[in-house]
Amino acid sequence: EAQVTQNPRYLITVTGKKLTVTCSQNMNHEYMSWYRQDPGLGLRQIYYSMNVEVTDKGDVPEGYKVSRKEKRNFPLILESPSPNQTSLYFCATRLSGSPTDTQYFGPGTRLTVL
Amino acid sequence: RKEVEQDPGPFNVPEGATVAFNCTYSNSASQSFFWYRQDCRKEPKLLMSVYSSGNEDGRFTAQLNRASQYISLLIRDSKLSDSATYLCVRTDSWGKLQFGAGTQVVVTP
């Protein structure tokens, strides 16, 4: 079954405690990205990756890091989380960078930073 | 000004009725457009692409008006299961997707 998985699905943490949200896809997609969704603001892209070892900043990259060592995995790292990073996070993948490719989203990770 | 703007709603629609709503975009260089559906903070899922000539998928009709820089979605014969938030999406020439904040539709019995 084609899928995008994220872990954890829910996380409550404290300011400054490093955390990683994993994202994995089994569709052999080249393009992966991370979004955050906040009320009234819609989905905003944090980082994206066109392929292995190729990553680039999205619209709101501050406070986040990513890596793409393997095609299937694209973890999101918060080195020192702050309360303004409390949000709903989605990983997304698509076959390539072409906008006509269907984009698939993971189930989301609800993060609360106290 | 936001790149993609939507009326947040909610649009309260009796079951069986028709509902339509628009989305405006500010960048005339926009390449492609889509409507996504999102249920109660779950992951967004592609509903349909939007083509210049307008396109239909069952009870859903999407239109694009490049001159006035808006796209629209019309839902006919609304079902209870159509209750969701509908996200408008535009892409730029580099393939980057930009999402509107969504329009909430509530279909009532």
Side-chain angles (χ1 to χ4, degrees), chain B residues 74-93:
Chain B
L74 182 146
I75 308 173
R76 282 185 302 279
D77 188 22
S78 297
K79 312 289 185 193
L80 295 176
S81 57
D82 294 333
S83 296
T85 297
Y86 292 85
L87 308 178
C88 170
V89 182
R90 69 166 280 272
T91 70
D92 61 20
S93 52

Side-chain angles (χ1 to χ4, degrees), chain A residues 1 3 11-12 14 16-17 24 26 29 38-39 43 51 55-57 71 76 78 82 89-90 95 101 103-104 109:
Chain A
E1 181 192 350
Q3 58 182 344
L11 179 61
I12 300 174
V14 295
K17 186 176 180 182
S24 184
N26 64 0
H29 284 177
D38 303 289
L43 285 127
N51 213 327
T55 64
D56 213 340
K57 295 178 181 179
K71 200 171 190 178
L76 179 70
L78 284 72
S82 61
Y89 291 87
F90 289 104
L95 183 62
D101 289 338
Q103 180 147 291
Y104 298 89
T109 295

Side-chain angles (χ1 to χ4, degrees), chain A residues 9-114:
Chain A
R9 296 288 314 282
Y10 303 91
L11 179 61
I12 300 174
T13 188
V14 295
T15 299
K17 186 176 180 182
K18 181 179 177 179
L19 66 92
T20 299
V21 184
T22 63
C23 172
S24 184
Q25 51 99 359
N26 64 0
M27 294 177 276
N28 203 35
H29 284 177
E30 292 183 348
Y31 186 99
M32 298 185 74
S33 57
W34 276 102
Y35 294 86
R36 61 177 288 174
Q37 186 175 34
D38 303 289
L41 294 178
L43 285 127
R44 293 178 293 168
Q45 192 180 57
I46 303 170
Y47 268 95
Y48 65 97
S49 170
M50 297 287 280
N51 213 327
V52 176
E53 301 292 1
V54 180
T55 64
D56 213 340
K57 295 178 181 179
D59 296 317
V60 287
E62 293 77 22
Y64 304 94
K65 284 174 57 176
V66 292
S67 69
R68 187 90 182 274
K69 293 183 170 60
E70 309 163 276
K71 200 171 190 178
R72 63 181 290 127
N73 296 322
F74 190 45
L76 179 70
I77 303 155
L78 284 72
E79 293 270 4
S80 183
S82 61
N84 65 12
Q85 292 178 298
T86 292
S87 188
L88 178 58
Y89 291 87
F90 289 104
C91 177
T93 80
R94 63 184 197 238
L95 183 62
S96 72
S98 169
T100 58
D101 289 338
T102 299
Q103 180 147 291
Y104 298 89
F105 286 84
T109 295
R110 190 172 293 279
L111 172 66
T112 301
V113 183
L114 302 174

Side-chain angles (χ1 to χ4, degrees), chain B residues 52-72:
Chain B
S52 296
S53 54
N55 49 298
E56 198 172 297
D57 184 358
R59 297 180 294 106
F60 297 84
T61 301
Q63 297 261 339
L64 166 62
N65 186 319
R66 284 195 182 271
S68 301
Q69 295 188 194
Y70 75 87
I71 67 171
S72 63

Side-chain angles (χ1 to χ4, degrees), chain B residues 35-48:
Chain B
W35 284 104
Y36 277 71
R37 172 196 168 119
Q38 185 175 27
D39 293 294
C40 200
R41 305 298 267 176
K42 292 190 176 179
E43 72 271 25
K45 292 182 179 177
L46 179 66
L47 178 67
M48 59 196 300

